[in-house]
Amino acid sequence: MLTATGLRKTFNAGTTNARIALDGVSLSLDEGDFAVIIGGNGAGKSTFLNSVAGEVTVDEGTLAIAGRDVTALPTHRRAGLVSRVFQDPLAGSAGPMTIEENMALASRRGLPSRLRFALGGKRRETYRQMLRVFGLGLENRLTHKVELLSGGQRQSLALAMAILTTPKLLLLDEHCAALDPKTAETVMQATLAAVENQRLTALMVTHNMQHAIDYGNRLVMMMDGRVVFEARGDDKKNLTIEQLVERFHLVDDKMLLA
Amino acid sequence: MDILNIFINLVPITLLQGVIYGFVALGIMIPFRILSFPDLTAEGSFPLGGSVAAAAIAAGMHSVTATLLALLAGFLAGCATALIHLKLRLNTLLCGIIVLTMLFSVNIRIMGKPNQPIFAQDNLFDILLGDYARVLPLQIALIAGLLAATAILLLLFFKTEFGTAMRAVGANPLMARAQGISIWRHTILGIGLAGSLCAVGGALLAQNQSFADVNMGFGVLLNGLAAVIVGETLVGRDTLPRQLLAPAVGAIAYYQAISLALALGLEPSDLKFLTGAFVLLMLAIPSMKGQRQPVKMRA
Ligand SMILES: Nc1ncnc2c1ncn2[C@@H]1O[C@H](COP(=O)(O)OP(=O)(O)O)[C@@H](O)[C@H]1O
Ligand SMILES: [Mg+2]
């Protein structure tokens, strides 16, 4: 479903501020794979997700989603294949627009916008149902502006928007990190439910080691722009936090020695 | 008493001005409020509309066609500003200044001279009002009707998928892209739309006063911005209908305020300073209160 080969990205190349963010990342996801990415700050996790989404154009390497080579496509032309939830709850929706208008945009993700009214009668019920899952009362506030919502409500909306039409690939970049623990848990459970029910292929960045072990069928550890450890299936299930932390240090030490 | 008399006598003519400039205010509101694209092109697309309409009418074109031609010209001017911004990533205000300055030359080329009288030809008012073309209240009603129809069309447009996408581009370009919306297409068309509204304002004014002048745009941006701010103070801007009503109401109120200032004995040449001071004040109040900036730019 996703094939990334040899992705390289250097920010501010050729200047004294040059930063290698991706140093040859290859990763391949099968349909239905749910990969959790972990790694320290600056490991390149966000850059990797951004390059998959199209926000970052890679210097080298190729990207294919659902069999389509998207390497040269800008973000908006990949939107039919990929949807995402950002870490910043404000990033995923348009504040001055209403909940239902945001949902309407999401319902046409990747499709050309037409000169037809964005809001139609029977869609509302679909939106309501999707938002009811979060138990935040969003379903009764369809005509409210999104900027009036709390961070947790807004992130729930962002998730609802991302899965409203089933994407080939769902990208989640620490999407619960900015929320209070209780809301984070709600949004995480809703995420897991959606991945399961809609059989989504997903890439999720998290800094929560327990989540990394508990959720998904693949685990990817990144460091300094590279994938340094991978586990899947039972190997992944049997991992412990201690082992993961050890891995981190192992790689760390190797880096130091190198 | 004298002041009041002067003011009341001025009401019809300033009402007409108000509804004509309502188009410009709409064309200024869209970039500033909906697209988060602070834009000065109005200062050039307004006289462009006047010049194109006057030149076309003088050359014998039907006034309706001439007005539509002006609309198209304004659209292209807006597109130019948007394209320069998107291509070269220059500040939107600078892009507008470049385009409006260049338009000065273009406008003189179009007319072949700095101004173009069209007293002898039939204009939109002659065509639509016939024998009553010179009746001020009817002129006001005609333009007010056109303005209302335009605002309603815009309201409907901004509720379509395309218009909603355009609003999303102004509100949150990152999110818009992620939904598959092309920032380029919607910005270019949106700023183009704004340009056409300004140009139509210019075309209407030129036909109403029976001449176009290359300098007719001077200060129009600030007037329009002041009108938008006045309108938003009067009717608010928290819903789409209000946001679209505000420029029209604001333009009418603004020109009444101007007329009052004149009745009080101020010189017309003082008004630019006053308008500037007013806009400055309105922009300063929220920032002094520590509220979010009233003019938003895209990240
Ligand atoms: N837009 C950018 N410009 C310059 N450097 C960047 C940019 N985005 C990321 N980087 C750099 O690339 C590296 C990887 O960053 P990032 O992908 O955000 O890491 P992570 O998400 O794993 O914390 C870091 O060194 C970061 O400073
Ligand atoms: Mg990150």
Side-chain angles (χ1 to χ4, degrees):
Chain A
M1 195 49 70
L2 170 72
T3 317
T5 9
L7 301 185
R8 286 180 192 281
K9 177 70 188 181
T10 305
F11 287 106
N12 310 315
T15 72
T16 45
N17 289 329
R19 265 226 113 88
I20 300 175
L22 296 180
D23 193 10
V25 172
S26 298
L27 186 73
S28 167
L29 297 185
D30 293 326
E31 193 167 352
D33 270 354
F34 181 4
V36 182
I37 304 183
I38 54 172
N41 267 339
K45 307 179 298 292
S46 295
T47 307
F48 176 53
L49 259 63
N50 280 331
S51 68
V52 174
E55 284 296 319
V56 163
T57 33
V58 291
D59 304 329
E60 270 179 60
T62 57
L63 269 163
I65 302 170
R68 265 187 71 192
D69 183 350
V70 298
T71 317
L73 295 185
T75 304
H76 72 273
R77 297 197 43 207
R78 299 185 194 185
L81 302 168
V82 189
S83 74
R84 66 190 308 207
V85 183
F86 302 90
Q87 176 172 356
D88 178 2
L90 306 185
S93 46
M97 296 167 66
T98 63
I99 293 182
E100 58 183 358
E101 283 172 336
N102 275 278
M103 293 291 274
L105 284 172
S107 75
R108 301 274 308 160
R109 179 170 44 76
L111 299 172
S113 42
R114 305 163 299 184
L115 276 177
R116 292 197 192 168
F117 287 119
L119 296 169
K122 62 180 192 298
R123 294 194 208 171
R124 275 207 172 137
E125 202 36 53
T126 321
Y127 300 161
R128 273 208 187 95
Q129 269 166 23
M130 296 211 56
L131 294 170
R132 200 166 283 136
V133 179
F134 298 97
L136 295 170
L138 289 175
E139 65 276 13
N140 302 319
R141 300 179 65 181
L142 287 183
T143 56
H144 289 211
K145 282 194 190 188
V146 165
E147 64 199 0
L148 302 173
L149 304 181
S150 71
Q153 289 172 327
R154 216 162 151 176
Q155 197 66 325
S156 306
L157 173 65
L159 177 63
M161 288 168 65
I163 57 177
L164 184 54
T165 57
T166 303
K168 296 284 183 206
L169 180 64
L170 174 65
L171 302 176
L172 308 157
D173 190 352
E174 303 199 39
H175 70 303
C176 295
L179 309 178
D180 66 83
K182 192 167 154 279
T183 322
E185 189 55 28
T186 316
V187 174
M188 184 57 81
Q189 290 309 323
T191 308
L192 298 173
V195 169
E196 171 124 356
N197 297 338
Q198 301 184 35
R199 303 187 181 288
L200 298 174
T201 310
L203 262 178
M204 178 171 83
V205 176
T206 179
H207 57 237
N208 184 322
M209 295 289 173
Q210 195 60 53
H211 285 180
I213 292 168
D214 292 346
Y215 306 145
N217 64 332
R218 307 260 311 254
L219 185 137
V220 176
M221 188 189 287
M222 285 184 72
M223 179 167 279
D224 290 333
R226 265 172 283 187
V227 173
V228 291
F229 174 69
E230 271 199 79
R232 59 176 86 196
D234 285 339
D235 288 346
K236 172 177 181 300
K237 265 190 214 130
N238 296 331
L239 283 169
T240 62
I241 291 191
E242 289 71 33
Q243 282 172 316
L244 275 185
V245 172
E246 200 183 330
R247 279 271 170 197
F248 253 113
H249 290 304
L250 215 66
V251 189
D252 237 358
D253 294 345
K254 255 193 220 155
M255 293 284 163
L256 285 177
L257 291 174
Chain B
M1 207 59 226
D2 234 21
I3 294 172
L4 195 61
N5 262 329
I6 299 175
F7 175 72
I8 289 173
N9 282 331
L10 281 172
V11 164
I13 188 71
T14 44
L15 262 183
L16 181 61
Q17 262 186 322
V19 285
I20 290 177
Y21 282 99
F23 286 90
V24 185
L26 271 174
I28 287 170
M29 181 279 288
I30 289 174
F32 275 84
R33 294 299 193 226
I34 291 185
L35 287 164
S36 308
F37 189 114
D39 183 26
L40 308 178
T41 317
E43 197 91 4
S45 44
F46 179 75
L48 173 68
S51 306
V52 167
I57 291 173
M61 190 182 277
H62 191 282
S63 63
V64 173
T65 327
T67 307
L68 291 176
L69 197 64
L71 182 148
L72 182 69
F75 180 79
L76 294 177
C79 291
T81 301
L83 208 59
I84 293 171
H85 166 71
L86 292 165
K87 259 258 178 277
L88 304 181
R89 292 168 191 257
L90 293 177
N91 179 294
T92 60
L93 296 171
L94 181 59
C95 300
I97 290 175
I98 292 171
V99 169
L100 79 88
T101 306
M102 290 168 81
L103 280 176
F104 185 85
S105 308
V106 172
N107 292 342
I108 295 182
R109 277 283 171 197
I110 289 171
M111 295 189 287
K113 52 197 169 197
N115 56 67
Q116 172 70 60
I118 41 172
F119 291 98
Q121 294 82 357
D122 272 358
N123 59 39
L124 210 57
F125 298 90
D126 298 313
I127 304 261
L128 296 176
L129 298 176
D131 288 346
Y132 304 103
R134 296 287 141 222
V135 183
L136 211 45
L138 283 181
Q139 293 188 350
I140 297 168
L142 172 67
I143 303 300
L146 278 178
L147 182 62
T150 305
I152 290 169
L153 277 178
L154 285 172
L155 175 64
L156 296 177
F157 168 72
F158 282 120
K159 283 180 175 285
T160 63
E161 287 175 6
F162 198 88
T164 311
M166 194 178 273
R167 286 158 62 210
V169 166
N172 184 349
L174 177 63
M175 169 267 193
R177 282 197 294 275
Q179 299 302 336
I181 299 165
S182 160
I183 304 294
W184 278 56
R185 179 185 306 146
H186 290 84
T187 302
I188 292 172
L189 291 176
I191 301 297
L193 172 67
S196 357
L197 290 164
C198 296
V200 166
L204 292 176
L205 183 67
Q207 294 179 67
N208 186 250
Q209 63 190 18
S210 292
F211 71 90
D213 186 287
V214 71
N215 289 313
M216 67 193 267
F218 186 70
V220 76
L221 181 102
L222 215 51
N223 292 353
L225 204 54
V228 170
I229 293 172
V230 170
E232 288 172 351
T233 311
L234 292 174
V235 305
R237 62 172 172 121
D238 49 330
T239 64
L240 202 49
R242 283 172 191 274
Q243 182 69 83
L244 285 161
L245 185 64
V249 170
I252 293 167
Y254 172 74
Y255 281 94
Q256 292 310 312
I258 291 293
S259 143
L260 188 62
L262 290 174
L264 286 168
L266 281 168
E267 293 297 322
S269 55
D270 294 333
L271 297 175
K272 299 236 186 308
F273 185 91
L274 279 183
T275 304
F278 170 75
V279 170
L280 211 52
L281 188 71
M282 295 306 280
L283 296 183
I285 291 171
S287 84
M288 283 187 306
K289 282 189 192 156
Q291 294 165 355
R292 84 191 151 132
Q293 278 302 313
V295 176
K296 209 177 121 217
M297 315 247 304
R298 274 187 228 167

